[in-house]
PDB file of all heavy atoms in Angstrom:
ATOM      1  N   ASP A  58       7.542 -13.208 -18.181  1.00  0.00           N
ATOM      2  CA  ASP A  58       6.604 -14.177 -17.532  1.00  0.00           C
ATOM      3  C   ASP A  58       5.301 -13.417 -17.193  1.00  0.00           C
ATOM      4  O   ASP A  58       5.306 -12.490 -16.480  1.00  0.00           O
ATOM      5  CB  ASP A  58       7.216 -14.707 -16.144  1.00  0.00           C
ATOM      6  CG  ASP A  58       6.434 -15.791 -15.570  1.00  0.00           C
ATOM      7  OD1 ASP A  58       5.257 -16.119 -15.856  1.00  0.00           O
ATOM      8  OD2 ASP A  58       6.911 -16.335 -14.422  1.00  0.00           O
ATOM      9  N   VAL A  59       4.273 -13.959 -17.848  1.00  0.00           N
ATOM     10  CA  VAL A  59       2.997 -13.273 -17.683  1.00  0.00           C
ATOM     11  C   VAL A  59       2.568 -13.465 -16.285  1.00  0.00           C
ATOM     12  O   VAL A  59       1.863 -12.492 -15.630  1.00  0.00           O
ATOM     13  CB  VAL A  59       1.947 -13.917 -18.612  1.00  0.00           C
ATOM     14  CG1 VAL A  59       0.452 -13.387 -18.348  1.00  0.00           C
ATOM     15  CG2 VAL A  59       2.278 -13.576 -20.060  1.00  0.00           C
ATOM     16  N   ALA A  60       2.924 -14.482 -15.576  1.00  0.00           N
ATOM     17  CA  ALA A  60       2.514 -14.682 -14.193  1.00  0.00           C
ATOM     18  C   ALA A  60       3.128 -13.641 -13.308  1.00  0.00           C
ATOM     19  O   ALA A  60       2.535 -13.271 -12.238  1.00  0.00           O
ATOM     20  CB  ALA A  60       2.969 -16.051 -13.679  1.00  0.00           C
ATOM     21  N   ASP A  61       4.277 -13.062 -13.642  1.00  0.00           N
ATOM     22  CA  ASP A  61       4.976 -11.929 -12.887  1.00  0.00           C
ATOM     23  C   ASP A  61       3.990 -10.743 -13.112  1.00  0.00           C
ATOM     24  O   ASP A  61       3.946  -9.964 -12.087  1.00  0.00           O
ATOM     25  CB  ASP A  61       6.379 -11.705 -13.304  1.00  0.00           C
ATOM     26  CG  ASP A  61       7.378 -12.815 -12.961  1.00  0.00           C
ATOM     27  OD1 ASP A  61       6.968 -13.521 -12.047  1.00  0.00           O
ATOM     28  OD2 ASP A  61       8.439 -12.779 -13.493  1.00  0.00           O
ATOM     29  N   MET A  62       3.517 -10.538 -14.330  1.00  0.00           N
ATOM     30  CA  MET A  62       2.627  -9.344 -14.482  1.00  0.00           C
ATOM     31  C   MET A  62       1.469  -9.458 -13.584  1.00  0.00           C
ATOM     32  O   MET A  62       0.900  -8.496 -13.116  1.00  0.00           O
ATOM     33  CB  MET A  62       2.235  -9.394 -15.961  1.00  0.00           C
ATOM     34  CG  MET A  62       3.326  -9.021 -16.907  1.00  0.00           C
ATOM     35  SD  MET A  62       2.554  -8.947 -18.598  1.00  0.00           S
ATOM     36  CE  MET A  62       4.058  -9.262 -19.531  1.00  0.00           C
ATOM     37  N   VAL A  63       0.885 -10.670 -13.440  1.00  0.00           N
ATOM     38  CA  VAL A  63      -0.305 -10.941 -12.709  1.00  0.00           C
ATOM     39  C   VAL A  63       0.082 -10.712 -11.163  1.00  0.00           C
ATOM     40  O   VAL A  63      -0.730 -10.003 -10.481  1.00  0.00           O
ATOM     41  CB  VAL A  63      -0.806 -12.324 -12.891  1.00  0.00           C
ATOM     42  CG1 VAL A  63      -2.030 -12.588 -11.868  1.00  0.00           C
ATOM     43  CG2 VAL A  63      -1.341 -12.599 -14.251  1.00  0.00           C
ATOM     44  N   ALA A  64       1.193 -11.193 -10.789  1.00  0.00           N
ATOM     45  CA  ALA A  64       1.644 -10.997  -9.330  1.00  0.00           C
ATOM     46  C   ALA A  64       1.779  -9.460  -9.142  1.00  0.00           C
ATOM     47  O   ALA A  64       1.423  -8.932  -7.989  1.00  0.00           O
ATOM     48  CB  ALA A  64       2.884 -11.709  -9.083  1.00  0.00           C
ATOM     49  N   ASP A  65       2.437  -8.678 -10.021  1.00  0.00           N
ATOM     50  CA  ASP A  65       2.465  -7.322  -9.957  1.00  0.00           C
ATOM     51  C   ASP A  65       1.209  -6.562  -9.734  1.00  0.00           C
ATOM     52  O   ASP A  65       1.007  -5.770  -8.911  1.00  0.00           O
ATOM     53  CB  ASP A  65       3.247  -6.600 -11.063  1.00  0.00           C
ATOM     54  CG  ASP A  65       4.560  -7.082 -11.320  1.00  0.00           C
ATOM     55  OD1 ASP A  65       5.201  -7.732 -10.482  1.00  0.00           O
ATOM     56  OD2 ASP A  65       5.144  -7.053 -12.454  1.00  0.00           O
ATOM     57  N   THR A  66       0.284  -6.982 -10.528  1.00  0.00           N
ATOM     58  CA  THR A  66      -1.057  -6.417 -10.620  1.00  0.00           C
ATOM     59  C   THR A  66      -1.771  -6.728  -9.257  1.00  0.00           C
ATOM     60  O   THR A  66      -2.414  -5.745  -8.707  1.00  0.00           O
ATOM     61  CB  THR A  66      -1.862  -6.872 -11.765  1.00  0.00           C
ATOM     62  OG1 THR A  66      -1.173  -6.478 -13.074  1.00  0.00           O
ATOM     63  CG2 THR A  66      -3.305  -6.184 -11.854  1.00  0.00           C
ATOM     64  N   LEU A  67      -1.817  -7.912  -8.870  1.00  0.00           N
ATOM     65  CA  LEU A  67      -2.373  -8.254  -7.591  1.00  0.00           C
ATOM     66  C   LEU A  67      -1.760  -7.487  -6.438  1.00  0.00           C
ATOM     67  O   LEU A  67      -2.385  -7.025  -5.445  1.00  0.00           O
ATOM     68  CB  LEU A  67      -2.203  -9.807  -7.289  1.00  0.00           C
ATOM     69  CG  LEU A  67      -3.009 -10.687  -8.110  1.00  0.00           C
ATOM     70  CD1 LEU A  67      -2.605 -12.100  -7.870  1.00  0.00           C
ATOM     71  CD2 LEU A  67      -4.500 -10.393  -7.876  1.00  0.00           C
ATOM     72  N   GLY A  68      -0.325  -7.207  -6.402  1.00  0.00           N
ATOM     73  CA  GLY A  68       0.362  -6.497  -5.506  1.00  0.00           C
ATOM     74  C   GLY A  68      -0.203  -5.117  -5.366  1.00  0.00           C
ATOM     75  O   GLY A  68      -0.357  -4.539  -4.320  1.00  0.00           O
ATOM     76  N   VAL A  69      -0.414  -4.404  -6.581  1.00  0.00           N
ATOM     77  CA  VAL A  69      -0.936  -3.129  -6.656  1.00  0.00           C
ATOM     78  C   VAL A  69      -2.353  -3.186  -5.979  1.00  0.00           C
ATOM     79  O   VAL A  69      -2.610  -2.209  -5.114  1.00  0.00           O
ATOM     80  CB  VAL A  69      -1.075  -2.653  -8.036  1.00  0.00           C
ATOM     81  CG1 VAL A  69      -1.847  -1.264  -8.242  1.00  0.00           C
ATOM     82  CG2 VAL A  69       0.434  -2.401  -8.632  1.00  0.00           C
ATOM     83  N   GLY A  70      -3.164  -4.056  -6.289  1.00  0.00           N
ATOM     84  CA  GLY A  70      -4.440  -4.012  -5.672  1.00  0.00           C
ATOM     85  C   GLY A  70      -4.399  -4.262  -4.169  1.00  0.00           C
ATOM     86  O   GLY A  70      -5.120  -3.701  -3.387  1.00  0.00           O
ATOM     87  N   ILE A  71      -3.549  -5.119  -3.670  1.00  0.00           N
ATOM     88  CA  ILE A  71      -3.372  -5.403  -2.247  1.00  0.00           C
ATOM     89  C   ILE A  71      -2.818  -4.091  -1.534  1.00  0.00           C
ATOM     90  O   ILE A  71      -3.387  -3.744  -0.453  1.00  0.00           O
ATOM     91  CB  ILE A  71      -2.451  -6.456  -1.991  1.00  0.00           C
ATOM     92  CG1 ILE A  71      -3.159  -7.870  -2.373  1.00  0.00           C
ATOM     93  CG2 ILE A  71      -2.074  -6.583  -0.553  1.00  0.00           C
ATOM     94  CD1 ILE A  71      -2.230  -9.042  -2.446  1.00  0.00           C
ATOM     95  N   GLY A  72      -1.828  -3.436  -2.293  1.00  0.00           N
ATOM     96  CA  GLY A  72      -1.433  -2.207  -1.601  1.00  0.00           C
ATOM     97  C   GLY A  72      -2.503  -1.166  -1.527  1.00  0.00           C
ATOM     98  O   GLY A  72      -2.583  -0.395  -0.467  1.00  0.00           O
ATOM     99  N   TRP A  73      -3.332  -1.046  -2.511  1.00  0.00           N
ATOM    100  CA  TRP A  73      -4.415  -0.078  -2.473  1.00  0.00           C
ATOM    101  C   TRP A  73      -5.322  -0.538  -1.376  1.00  0.00           C
ATOM    102  O   TRP A  73      -5.793   0.455  -0.590  1.00  0.00           O
ATOM    103  CB  TRP A  73      -5.067   0.065  -3.826  1.00  0.00           C
ATOM    104  CG  TRP A  73      -6.103   1.175  -3.956  1.00  0.00           C
ATOM    105  CD1 TRP A  73      -6.892   1.750  -3.009  1.00  0.00           C
ATOM    106  CD2 TRP A  73      -6.442   1.850  -5.117  1.00  0.00           C
ATOM    107  NE1 TRP A  73      -7.748   2.677  -3.472  1.00  0.00           N
ATOM    108  CE2 TRP A  73      -7.440   2.785  -4.831  1.00  0.00           C
ATOM    109  CE3 TRP A  73      -6.020   1.788  -6.409  1.00  0.00           C
ATOM    110  CZ2 TRP A  73      -8.079   3.544  -5.736  1.00  0.00           C
ATOM    111  CZ3 TRP A  73      -6.703   2.513  -7.367  1.00  0.00           C
ATOM    112  CH2 TRP A  73      -7.675   3.463  -7.020  1.00  0.00           C
ATOM    113  N   ALA A  74      -5.787  -1.756  -1.437  1.00  0.00           N
ATOM    114  CA  ALA A  74      -6.735  -2.167  -0.351  1.00  0.00           C
ATOM    115  C   ALA A  74      -6.293  -2.030   1.045  1.00  0.00           C
ATOM    116  O   ALA A  74      -7.027  -1.692   1.967  1.00  0.00           O
ATOM    117  CB  ALA A  74      -7.176  -3.625  -0.598  1.00  0.00           C
ATOM    118  N   ALA A  75      -5.017  -2.156   1.227  1.00  0.00           N
ATOM    119  CA  ALA A  75      -4.377  -1.994   2.602  1.00  0.00           C
ATOM    120  C   ALA A  75      -4.100  -0.602   3.101  1.00  0.00           C
ATOM    121  O   ALA A  75      -3.861  -0.365   4.199  1.00  0.00           O
ATOM    122  CB  ALA A  75      -3.108  -2.857   2.715  1.00  0.00           C
ATOM    123  N   ALA A  76      -4.249   0.326   2.086  1.00  0.00           N
ATOM    124  CA  ALA A  76      -3.811   1.765   2.392  1.00  0.00           C
ATOM    125  C   ALA A  76      -4.805   2.427   3.226  1.00  0.00           C
ATOM    126  O   ALA A  76      -5.981   2.019   3.314  1.00  0.00           O
ATOM    127  CB  ALA A  76      -3.627   2.378   1.072  1.00  0.00           C
ATOM    128  N   PRO A  77      -4.450   3.512   3.789  1.00  0.00           N
ATOM    129  CA  PRO A  77      -5.334   4.347   4.633  1.00  0.00           C
ATOM    130  C   PRO A  77      -6.485   4.700   3.689  1.00  0.00           C
ATOM    131  O   PRO A  77      -6.324   4.893   2.514  1.00  0.00           O
ATOM    132  CB  PRO A  77      -4.561   5.594   4.998  1.00  0.00           C
ATOM    133  CG  PRO A  77      -3.040   5.090   4.937  1.00  0.00           C
ATOM    134  CD  PRO A  77      -3.068   4.091   3.802  1.00  0.00           C
ATOM    135  N   PRO A  78      -7.617   4.789   4.133  1.00  0.00           N
ATOM    136  CA  PRO A  78      -8.192   4.790   5.635  1.00  0.00           C
ATOM    137  C   PRO A  78      -8.348   3.407   6.346  1.00  0.00           C
ATOM    138  O   PRO A  78      -8.696   3.337   7.421  1.00  0.00           O
ATOM    139  CB  PRO A  78      -9.377   5.663   5.580  1.00  0.00           C
ATOM    140  CG  PRO A  78     -10.015   5.297   4.366  1.00  0.00           C
ATOM    141  CD  PRO A  78      -8.852   5.051   3.376  1.00  0.00           C
ATOM    142  N   ARG A  79      -8.100   2.401   5.544  1.00  0.00           N
ATOM    143  CA  ARG A  79      -8.285   1.018   6.158  1.00  0.00           C
ATOM    144  C   ARG A  79      -7.098   0.576   7.102  1.00  0.00           C
ATOM    145  O   ARG A  79      -7.251  -0.321   7.848  1.00  0.00           O
ATOM    146  CB  ARG A  79      -8.374  -0.045   5.023  1.00  0.00           C
ATOM    147  CG  ARG A  79      -9.806   0.088   4.328  1.00  0.00           C
ATOM    148  CD  ARG A  79      -9.850  -0.668   2.965  1.00  0.00           C
ATOM    149  NE  ARG A  79      -8.907  -0.139   2.024  1.00  0.00           N
ATOM    150  CZ  ARG A  79      -9.167   0.993   1.338  1.00  0.00           C
ATOM    151  NH1 ARG A  79     -10.233   1.694   1.453  1.00  0.00           N
ATOM    152  NH2 ARG A  79      -8.299   1.321   0.360  1.00  0.00           N
ATOM    153  N   SER A  80      -6.031   1.373   7.085  1.00  0.00           N
ATOM    154  CA  SER A  80      -5.014   1.063   8.031  1.00  0.00           C
ATOM    155  C   SER A  80      -4.361   2.478   8.416  1.00  0.00           C
ATOM    156  O   SER A  80      -4.607   3.408   7.736  1.00  0.00           O
ATOM    157  CB  SER A  80      -3.906   0.255   7.286  1.00  0.00           C
ATOM    158  OG  SER A  80      -3.284   1.049   6.198  1.00  0.00           O
ATOM    159  N   PRO A  81      -3.565   2.501   9.488  1.00  0.00           N
ATOM    160  CA  PRO A  81      -2.988   3.792   9.739  1.00  0.00           C
ATOM    161  C   PRO A  81      -2.050   4.276   8.654  1.00  0.00           C
ATOM    162  O   PRO A  81      -1.381   3.594   7.993  1.00  0.00           O
ATOM    163  CB  PRO A  81      -2.133   3.463  11.060  1.00  0.00           C
ATOM    164  CG  PRO A  81      -2.630   2.132  11.513  1.00  0.00           C
ATOM    165  CD  PRO A  81      -3.155   1.439  10.298  1.00  0.00           C
ATOM    166  N   ASN A  82      -2.015   5.603   8.580  1.00  0.00           N
ATOM    167  CA  ASN A  82      -1.044   6.294   7.781  1.00  0.00           C
ATOM    168  C   ASN A  82       0.231   6.335   8.463  1.00  0.00           C
ATOM    169  O   ASN A  82       0.470   7.243   9.354  1.00  0.00           O
ATOM    170  CB  ASN A  82      -1.564   7.638   7.268  1.00  0.00           C
ATOM    171  CG  ASN A  82      -0.718   8.325   6.218  1.00  0.00           C
ATOM    172  OD1 ASN A  82       0.502   8.349   6.282  1.00  0.00           O
ATOM    173  ND2 ASN A  82      -1.387   8.868   5.199  1.00  0.00           N
ATOM    174  N   LEU A  83       1.199   5.553   8.056  1.00  0.00           N
ATOM    175  CA  LEU A  83       2.495   5.540   8.730  1.00  0.00           C
ATOM    176  C   LEU A  83       3.272   6.726   8.589  1.00  0.00           C
ATOM    177  O   LEU A  83       4.045   7.122   9.500  1.00  0.00           O
ATOM    178  CB  LEU A  83       3.339   4.305   8.227  1.00  0.00           C
ATOM    179  CG  LEU A  83       2.731   2.849   8.366  1.00  0.00           C
ATOM    180  CD1 LEU A  83       3.477   1.826   7.722  1.00  0.00           C
ATOM    181  CD2 LEU A  83       2.451   2.693   9.853  1.00  0.00           C
ATOM    182  N   LEU A  84       3.161   7.461   7.374  1.00  0.00           N
ATOM    183  CA  LEU A  84       3.925   8.720   7.203  1.00  0.00           C
ATOM    184  C   LEU A  84       3.378   9.835   8.143  1.00  0.00           C
ATOM    185  O   LEU A  84       4.175  10.576   8.719  1.00  0.00           O
ATOM    186  CB  LEU A  84       3.808   9.081   5.768  1.00  0.00           C
ATOM    187  CG  LEU A  84       4.316   8.054   4.732  1.00  0.00           C
ATOM    188  CD1 LEU A  84       4.230   8.560   3.323  1.00  0.00           C
ATOM    189  CD2 LEU A  84       5.688   7.699   5.104  1.00  0.00           C
ATOM    190  N   MET A  85       2.087   9.920   8.372  1.00  0.00           N
ATOM    191  CA  MET A  85       1.529  10.874   9.285  1.00  0.00           C
ATOM    192  C   MET A  85       2.013  10.368  10.775  1.00  0.00           C
ATOM    193  O   MET A  85       2.303  11.425  11.412  1.00  0.00           O
ATOM    194  CB  MET A  85      -0.049  10.819   9.269  1.00  0.00           C
ATOM    195  CG  MET A  85      -0.546  11.404   7.841  1.00  0.00           C
ATOM    196  SD  MET A  85      -2.237  11.551   7.900  1.00  0.00           S
ATOM    197  CE  MET A  85      -2.546  13.197   7.599  1.00  0.00           C
ATOM    198  N   PHE A  86       2.046   9.214  11.014  1.00  0.00           N
ATOM    199  CA  PHE A  86       2.554   8.772  12.411  1.00  0.00           C
ATOM    200  C   PHE A  86       3.978   9.215  12.475  1.00  0.00           C
ATOM    201  O   PHE A  86       4.303   9.750  13.649  1.00  0.00           O
ATOM    202  CB  PHE A  86       2.316   7.319  12.570  1.00  0.00           C
ATOM    203  CG  PHE A  86       2.864   6.714  13.737  1.00  0.00           C
ATOM    204  CD1 PHE A  86       2.121   6.850  14.913  1.00  0.00           C
ATOM    205  CD2 PHE A  86       4.041   6.112  13.831  1.00  0.00           C
ATOM    206  CE1 PHE A  86       2.578   6.313  16.170  1.00  0.00           C
ATOM    207  CE2 PHE A  86       4.555   5.589  15.049  1.00  0.00           C
ATOM    208  CZ  PHE A  86       3.723   5.635  16.172  1.00  0.00           C
ATOM    209  N   ILE A  87       4.795   9.084  11.546  1.00  0.00           N
ATOM    210  CA  ILE A  87       6.174   9.505  11.624  1.00  0.00           C
ATOM    211  C   ILE A  87       6.323  10.999  11.813  1.00  0.00           C
ATOM    212  O   ILE A  87       6.955  11.494  12.667  1.00  0.00           O
ATOM    213  CB  ILE A  87       7.101   9.006  10.450  1.00  0.00           C
ATOM    214  CG1 ILE A  87       7.204   7.535  10.411  1.00  0.00           C
ATOM    215  CG2 ILE A  87       8.348   9.681  10.305  1.00  0.00           C
ATOM    216  CD1 ILE A  87       7.641   6.940   9.080  1.00  0.00           C
ATOM    217  N   GLU A  88       5.478  11.744  11.040  1.00  0.00           N
ATOM    218  CA  GLU A  88       5.578  13.146  11.072  1.00  0.00           C
ATOM    219  C   GLU A  88       4.999  13.636  12.462  1.00  0.00           C
ATOM    220  O   GLU A  88       5.598  14.535  13.051  1.00  0.00           O
ATOM    221  CB  GLU A  88       4.697  13.777  10.020  1.00  0.00           C
ATOM    222  CG  GLU A  88       5.393  13.638   8.584  1.00  0.00           C
ATOM    223  CD  GLU A  88       4.670  14.511   7.538  1.00  0.00           C
ATOM    224  OE1 GLU A  88       3.731  15.193   7.872  1.00  0.00           O
ATOM    225  OE2 GLU A  88       5.280  14.425   6.446  1.00  0.00           O
ATOM    226  N   ALA A  89       3.998  13.093  13.059  1.00  0.00           N
ATOM    227  CA  ALA A  89       3.568  13.350  14.349  1.00  0.00           C
ATOM    228  C   ALA A  89       4.681  13.120  15.348  1.00  0.00           C
ATOM    229  O   ALA A  89       4.780  14.019  16.234  1.00  0.00           O
ATOM    230  CB  ALA A  89       2.326  12.595  14.609  1.00  0.00           C
ATOM    231  N   GLY A  90       5.370  12.066  15.247  1.00  0.00           N
ATOM    232  CA  GLY A  90       6.447  11.662  16.157  1.00  0.00           C
ATOM    233  C   GLY A  90       7.589  12.772  16.126  1.00  0.00           C
ATOM    234  O   GLY A  90       8.252  13.170  17.100  1.00  0.00           O
ATOM    235  N   LEU A  91       7.890  13.283  14.799  1.00  0.00           N
ATOM    236  CA  LEU A  91       8.897  14.221  14.678  1.00  0.00           C
ATOM    237  C   LEU A  91       8.479  15.687  15.184  1.00  0.00           C
ATOM    238  O   LEU A  91       9.289  16.413  15.633  1.00  0.00           O
ATOM    239  CB  LEU A  91       9.200  14.392  13.181  1.00  0.00           C
ATOM    240  CG  LEU A  91       9.943  13.143  12.531  1.00  0.00           C
ATOM    241  CD1 LEU A  91       9.972  13.456  11.065  1.00  0.00           C
ATOM    242  CD2 LEU A  91      11.253  12.917  13.087  1.00  0.00           C
TER     243      LEU A  91
END
């Protein structure tokens, strides 16, 4: 399904756009807690 490929690609773009520095780095937060 080509539409699945499009959804995958959009997901990659959303993940990149949502990633730090635009949002907190959850892994750094976890490490700070530890």
Side-chain angles (χ1 to χ4, degrees):
D58 189 351
V59 172
D61 288 348
M62 294 179 200
V63 172
D65 299 342
T66 302
L67 289 173
V69 169
I71 290 167
W73 188 333
R79 289 167 292 286
S80 66
N82 188 314
L83 300 176
L84 302 180
M85 290 181 127
F86 179 77
I87 292 168
E88 287 189 1
L91 293 173

